[in-house]
mmCIF file of all heavy atoms in Angstrom:
data_model
loop_
_atom_site.group_PDB
_atom_site.id
_atom_site.type_symbol
_atom_site.label_atom_id
_atom_site.label_comp_id
_atom_site.label_asym_id
_atom_site.label_seq_id
_atom_site.Cartn_x
_atom_site.Cartn_y
_atom_site.Cartn_z
ATOM 1 N N LYS N 439 70.389 55.908 119.923
ATOM 2 C CA LYS N 439 71.019 55.745 121.237
ATOM 3 C C LYS N 439 72.250 56.644 121.369
ATOM 4 O O LYS N 439 72.469 57.248 122.416
ATOM 5 C CB LYS N 439 71.407 54.291 121.449
ATOM 6 C CG LYS N 439 71.965 54.016 122.849
ATOM 7 C CD LYS N 439 72.360 52.571 123.030
ATOM 8 C CE LYS N 439 73.579 52.232 122.193
ATOM 9 N NZ LYS N 439 74.082 50.869 122.464
ATOM 10 N N CYS N 442 71.116 60.145 121.966
ATOM 11 C CA CYS N 442 70.594 60.295 123.329
ATOM 12 C C CYS N 442 71.731 60.375 124.342
ATOM 13 O O CYS N 442 71.629 61.083 125.346
ATOM 14 C CB CYS N 442 69.660 59.140 123.676
ATOM 15 S SG CYS N 442 68.066 59.220 122.840
ATOM 16 N N GLN N 443 72.806 59.638 124.090
ATOM 17 C CA GLN N 443 73.959 59.733 124.985
ATOM 18 C C GLN N 443 74.524 61.152 125.005
ATOM 19 O O GLN N 443 74.815 61.711 126.066
ATOM 20 C CB GLN N 443 75.043 58.740 124.548
ATOM 21 C CG GLN N 443 74.698 57.282 124.853
ATOM 22 C CD GLN N 443 75.750 56.327 124.325
ATOM 23 O OE1 GLN N 443 76.465 56.644 123.374
ATOM 24 N NE2 GLN N 443 75.837 55.155 124.929
ATOM 25 N N ALA N 446 71.931 63.508 126.683
ATOM 26 C CA ALA N 446 71.918 63.336 128.139
ATOM 27 C C ALA N 446 73.139 63.990 128.772
ATOM 28 O O ALA N 446 73.051 64.612 129.836
ATOM 29 C CB ALA N 446 71.877 61.856 128.485
ATOM 30 N N PRO N 463 63.076 60.971 136.528
ATOM 31 C CA PRO N 463 63.448 59.613 136.160
ATOM 32 C C PRO N 463 63.351 58.678 137.357
ATOM 33 O O PRO N 463 63.505 59.082 138.503
ATOM 34 C CB PRO N 463 64.906 59.777 135.689
ATOM 35 C CG PRO N 463 65.056 61.236 135.390
ATOM 36 C CD PRO N 463 64.130 61.944 136.320
ATOM 37 N N GLU N 464 63.060 57.438 137.072
ATOM 38 C CA GLU N 464 62.985 56.447 138.146
ATOM 39 C C GLU N 464 64.357 56.271 138.779
ATOM 40 O O GLU N 464 65.382 56.542 138.166
ATOM 41 C CB GLU N 464 62.487 55.118 137.584
ATOM 42 C CG GLU N 464 61.078 55.210 136.992
ATOM 43 C CD GLU N 464 60.633 53.873 136.417
ATOM 44 O OE1 GLU N 464 61.354 52.883 136.638
ATOM 45 O OE2 GLU N 464 59.580 53.841 135.752
ATOM 46 N N ASP N 466 66.111 53.708 139.457
ATOM 47 C CA ASP N 466 67.031 52.751 138.854
ATOM 48 C C ASP N 466 67.280 53.022 137.375
ATOM 49 O O ASP N 466 67.833 52.201 136.666
ATOM 50 C CB ASP N 466 66.487 51.332 139.035
ATOM 51 C CG ASP N 466 65.079 51.178 138.446
ATOM 52 O OD1 ASP N 466 64.437 52.219 138.194
ATOM 53 O OD2 ASP N 466 64.645 50.024 138.239
ATOM 54 N N HIS N 467 66.853 54.183 136.898
ATOM 55 C CA HIS N 467 67.082 54.553 135.505
ATOM 56 C C HIS N 467 67.744 55.933 135.446
ATOM 57 O O HIS N 467 67.392 56.820 136.207
ATOM 58 C CB HIS N 467 65.777 54.564 134.716
ATOM 59 C CG HIS N 467 65.236 53.192 134.442
ATOM 60 N ND1 HIS N 467 64.553 52.457 135.381
ATOM 61 C CD2 HIS N 467 65.288 52.434 133.308
ATOM 62 C CE1 HIS N 467 64.200 51.282 134.859
ATOM 63 N NE2 HIS N 467 64.629 51.247 133.597
ATOM 64 N N SER N 468 68.667 56.061 134.532
ATOM 65 C CA SER N 468 69.377 57.326 134.380
ATOM 66 C C SER N 468 68.629 58.237 133.423
ATOM 67 O O SER N 468 67.632 57.851 132.807
ATOM 68 C CB SER N 468 70.795 57.062 133.853
ATOM 69 O OG SER N 468 70.726 56.491 132.555
ATOM 70 N N LEU N 469 69.141 59.471 133.313
ATOM 71 C CA LEU N 469 68.568 60.415 132.367
ATOM 72 C C LEU N 469 68.679 59.872 130.939
ATOM 73 O O LEU N 469 67.783 60.082 130.111
ATOM 74 C CB LEU N 469 69.300 61.753 132.487
ATOM 75 C CG LEU N 469 68.899 62.862 131.510
ATOM 76 C CD1 LEU N 469 67.431 63.224 131.678
ATOM 77 C CD2 LEU N 469 69.780 64.091 131.706
ATOM 78 N N PHE N 470 69.750 59.144 130.658
ATOM 79 C CA PHE N 470 69.922 58.564 129.331
ATOM 80 C C PHE N 470 68.799 57.579 129.009
ATOM 81 O O PHE N 470 68.221 57.605 127.918
ATOM 82 C CB PHE N 470 71.289 57.877 129.260
ATOM 83 C CG PHE N 470 71.425 56.924 128.097
ATOM 84 C CD1 PHE N 470 71.501 57.401 126.801
ATOM 85 C CD2 PHE N 470 71.459 55.556 128.314
ATOM 86 C CE1 PHE N 470 71.618 56.517 125.736
ATOM 87 C CE2 PHE N 470 71.573 54.676 127.260
ATOM 88 C CZ PHE N 470 71.661 55.158 125.966
ATOM 89 N N HIS N 471 68.477 56.693 129.964
ATOM 90 C CA HIS N 471 67.392 55.731 129.724
ATOM 91 C C HIS N 471 66.061 56.443 129.515
ATOM 92 O O HIS N 471 65.242 56.037 128.684
ATOM 93 C CB HIS N 471 67.288 54.741 130.895
ATOM 94 C CG HIS N 471 68.448 53.806 130.995
ATOM 95 N ND1 HIS N 471 69.588 54.115 131.704
ATOM 96 C CD2 HIS N 471 68.659 52.574 130.463
ATOM 97 C CE1 HIS N 471 70.434 53.106 131.624
ATOM 98 N NE2 HIS N 471 69.900 52.152 130.871
ATOM 99 N N TRP N 472 65.867 57.516 130.279
ATOM 100 C CA TRP N 472 64.612 58.253 130.124
ATOM 101 C C TRP N 472 64.523 58.878 128.737
ATOM 102 O O TRP N 472 63.474 58.865 128.087
ATOM 103 C CB TRP N 472 64.530 59.328 131.204
ATOM 104 C CG TRP N 472 63.237 60.097 131.190
ATOM 105 C CD1 TRP N 472 62.076 59.779 131.825
ATOM 106 C CD2 TRP N 472 62.995 61.324 130.504
ATOM 107 N NE1 TRP N 472 61.114 60.711 131.576
ATOM 108 C CE2 TRP N 472 61.640 61.681 130.763
ATOM 109 C CE3 TRP N 472 63.761 62.150 129.697
ATOM 110 C CZ2 TRP N 472 61.069 62.838 130.245
ATOM 111 C CZ3 TRP N 472 63.189 63.292 129.170
ATOM 112 C CH2 TRP N 472 61.852 63.630 129.444
ATOM 113 N N LEU N 473 65.635 59.433 128.250
ATOM 114 C CA LEU N 473 65.640 60.043 126.923
ATOM 115 C C LEU N 473 65.457 59.003 125.826
ATOM 116 O O LEU N 473 64.753 59.247 124.833
ATOM 117 C CB LEU N 473 66.953 60.808 126.704
ATOM 118 C CG LEU N 473 67.053 62.190 127.358
ATOM 119 C CD1 LEU N 473 68.458 62.739 127.207
ATOM 120 C CD2 LEU N 473 66.048 63.142 126.742
ATOM 121 N N VAL N 474 66.085 57.826 125.978
ATOM 122 C CA VAL N 474 65.917 56.764 124.976
ATOM 123 C C VAL N 474 64.451 56.369 124.872
ATOM 124 O O VAL N 474 63.901 56.224 123.769
ATOM 125 C CB VAL N 474 66.799 55.548 125.330
ATOM 126 C CG1 VAL N 474 66.430 54.346 124.468
ATOM 127 C CG2 VAL N 474 68.263 55.890 125.152
ATOM 128 N N ALA N 475 63.790 56.198 126.023
ATOM 129 C CA ALA N 475 62.371 55.846 125.998
ATOM 130 C C ALA N 475 61.536 56.957 125.372
ATOM 131 O O ALA N 475 60.580 56.700 124.622
ATOM 132 C CB ALA N 475 61.893 55.561 127.423
ATOM 133 N N LYS N 476 61.905 58.207 125.648
ATOM 134 C CA LYS N 476 61.165 59.341 125.092
ATOM 135 C C LYS N 476 61.330 59.392 123.579
ATOM 136 O O LYS N 476 60.354 59.580 122.832
ATOM 137 C CB LYS N 476 61.686 60.630 125.727
ATOM 138 C CG LYS N 476 60.846 61.864 125.409
ATOM 139 C CD LYS N 476 59.502 61.812 126.091
ATOM 140 C CE LYS N 476 58.717 63.098 125.859
ATOM 141 N NZ LYS N 476 57.370 63.032 126.436
ATOM 142 N N VAL N 477 62.545 59.212 123.078
ATOM 143 C CA VAL N 477 62.787 59.226 121.633
ATOM 144 C C VAL N 477 62.068 58.054 120.965
ATOM 145 O O VAL N 477 61.506 58.189 119.871
ATOM 146 C CB VAL N 477 64.303 59.184 121.345
ATOM 147 C CG1 VAL N 477 64.581 58.990 119.867
ATOM 148 C CG2 VAL N 477 64.966 60.459 121.841
ATOM 149 N N TRP N 478 62.068 56.903 121.621
ATOM 150 C CA TRP N 478 61.405 55.721 121.061
ATOM 151 C C TRP N 478 59.899 55.979 120.902
ATOM 152 O O TRP N 478 59.293 55.607 119.899
ATOM 153 C CB TRP N 478 61.653 54.532 121.987
ATOM 154 C CG TRP N 478 60.953 53.273 121.551
ATOM 155 C CD1 TRP N 478 61.273 52.470 120.505
ATOM 156 C CD2 TRP N 478 59.810 52.684 122.180
ATOM 157 N NE1 TRP N 478 60.399 51.417 120.424
ATOM 158 C CE2 TRP N 478 59.498 51.522 121.453
ATOM 159 C CE3 TRP N 478 59.042 53.035 123.295
ATOM 160 C CZ2 TRP N 478 58.425 50.708 121.796
ATOM 161 C CZ3 TRP N 478 57.982 52.222 123.631
ATOM 162 C CH2 TRP N 478 57.676 51.069 122.889
ATOM 163 N N ASN N 479 59.296 56.659 121.901
ATOM 164 C CA ASN N 479 57.867 56.961 121.827
ATOM 165 C C ASN N 479 57.571 58.025 120.777
ATOM 166 O O ASN N 479 56.592 57.915 120.024
ATOM 167 C CB ASN N 479 57.358 57.438 123.192
ATOM 168 C CG ASN N 479 57.287 56.306 124.207
ATOM 169 O OD1 ASN N 479 57.027 55.165 123.842
ATOM 170 N ND2 ASN N 479 57.556 56.612 125.470
ATOM 171 N N SER N 487 66.317 50.135 119.979
ATOM 172 C CA SER N 487 66.864 51.456 120.236
ATOM 173 C C SER N 487 66.841 51.807 121.691
ATOM 174 O O SER N 487 67.478 52.738 122.137
ATOM 175 C CB SER N 487 66.105 52.521 119.425
ATOM 176 O OG SER N 487 64.789 52.608 119.893
ATOM 177 N N LYS N 488 66.113 51.063 122.493
ATOM 178 C CA LYS N 488 66.061 51.350 123.934
ATOM 179 C C LYS N 488 67.105 50.580 124.706
ATOM 180 O O LYS N 488 67.248 50.756 125.895
ATOM 181 C CB LYS N 488 64.675 51.035 124.503
ATOM 182 C CG LYS N 488 63.574 51.890 123.931
ATOM 183 C CD LYS N 488 62.301 51.766 124.736
ATOM 184 C CE LYS N 488 61.711 50.384 124.691
ATOM 185 N NZ LYS N 488 60.470 50.287 125.455
ATOM 186 N N SER N 489 67.792 49.682 124.059
ATOM 187 C CA SER N 489 68.786 48.912 124.783
ATOM 188 C C SER N 489 69.966 49.792 125.142
ATOM 189 O O SER N 489 70.336 50.687 124.420
ATOM 190 C CB SER N 489 69.267 47.732 123.910
ATOM 191 O OG SER N 489 69.814 48.234 122.715
ATOM 192 N N SER N 490 70.588 49.545 126.251
ATOM 193 C CA SER N 490 71.693 50.377 126.704
ATOM 194 C C SER N 490 73.011 49.721 126.389
ATOM 195 O O SER N 490 73.107 48.552 126.180
ATOM 196 C CB SER N 490 71.587 50.638 128.203
ATOM 197 O OG SER N 490 71.540 49.406 128.886
#
Side-chain angles (χ1 to χ4, degrees):
K439 185 181 69 174
C442 287
Q443 287 176 335
E464 298 179 9
D466 57 344
H467 287 79
S468 64
L469 176 61
F470 164 70
H471 291 88
W472 183 87
L473 281 173
V474 169
K476 190 70 175 176
V477 172
W478 177 73
N479 288 328
S487 66
K488 296 193 295 181
S489 59
S490 56

